[in-house]
Amino acid sequence: MILNIFAWFFRFKGWKIEGTGIPPHIKKCVVIAMPHTSNWDFVYAMGAIRLFGIRLNYLAKKELFRWPIKSIFTRTGGIPVERQKNTRMVETITRKFSEEDKLILAISVEGTRKRVGKIKTGFYHVAISAGVPLCMAYLDYRKKVAGFSEPFYPTGNAETDAKIIREFYRDKAGKFPGNFNPDAIILD
C-alpha cells in the first residue's frame, strides 16, 4: 500500500523511470544508491522501486526505525544499521548473501546527504566477498528520471571499478547538486 502511494507521488511530480530495472535473472546483487542529497530521495526511490516491480532491501540508520515512522521503513524493506559502532557490517552482510536465495540490497554509499570527499566502500567489499554483481541506481533530479545500470561484477581492481562507477554517475544530478561529488567515488 505505502509503495503505491510513493509510486503515485513519483508520477504526480512528473518523474519517469528509464530502462527495465534489475534483470529478472539477477537474484542477488548490491545496489549502489546515488546521488543522495535530500530526504526526498527516499520518497522518489520507493516510488521508482514500485514502478520497476523490484523487491529490495536497503540499509538505513537505526534512528529512523522508531514510532511513528518505523512501519514505513520496515514495510519497504529497510534494515536498521548501527552507524556509531564497529559492527563488522561487511562480514554480516556477506554472510546474509550466502544464507538467502534472493537478496537485492541497496546501500547509500555516501552515508549522508552532505557532500563527501570519499564514499563508504563496504558495498564494494561485500560484492566481492559475496561474489555478487553491483547495480548502480540513480535519481536524476535534473531530468526527473530514475533508473539502474546493467549489473556488473567488480573485478577487484579498485581503480578500474571506481572509474566505471564514477563515469556512470558523472552526469547524474541530486536534488542539491552541490552536495554530490562523483570524484568522491574512490575504492580501497
Side-chain angles (χ1 to χ4, degrees), residues 98-168:
S98 70
E99 296 168 354
E100 300 292 329
D101 292 331
K102 183 173 184 175
L103 179 59
I104 297 173
L105 183 66
I107 302 174
S108 173
V109 301
E110 292 154 294
T112 181
R113 295 172 308 278
K114 299 176 185 142
R115 187 176 178 89
V116 297
K118 184 177 181 302
I119 62 169
K120 297 184 179 297
T121 59
F123 76 95
Y124 182 69
H125 300 292
V126 166
I128 290 172
S129 297
V132 299
L134 292 169
C135 239
M136 297 173 279
Y138 61 92
L139 293 170
D140 188 337
Y141 281 80
R142 188 181 310 118
K143 298 176 184 173
K144 286 190 162 183
V145 295
F148 291 88
S149 73
E150 288 295 318
F152 79 96
Y153 285 87
T155 65
N157 180 321
E159 191 174 314
T160 300
D161 293 337
K163 183 177 180 184
I164 291 167
I165 298 167
R166 197 168 33 250
E167 291 309 309
F168 179 82

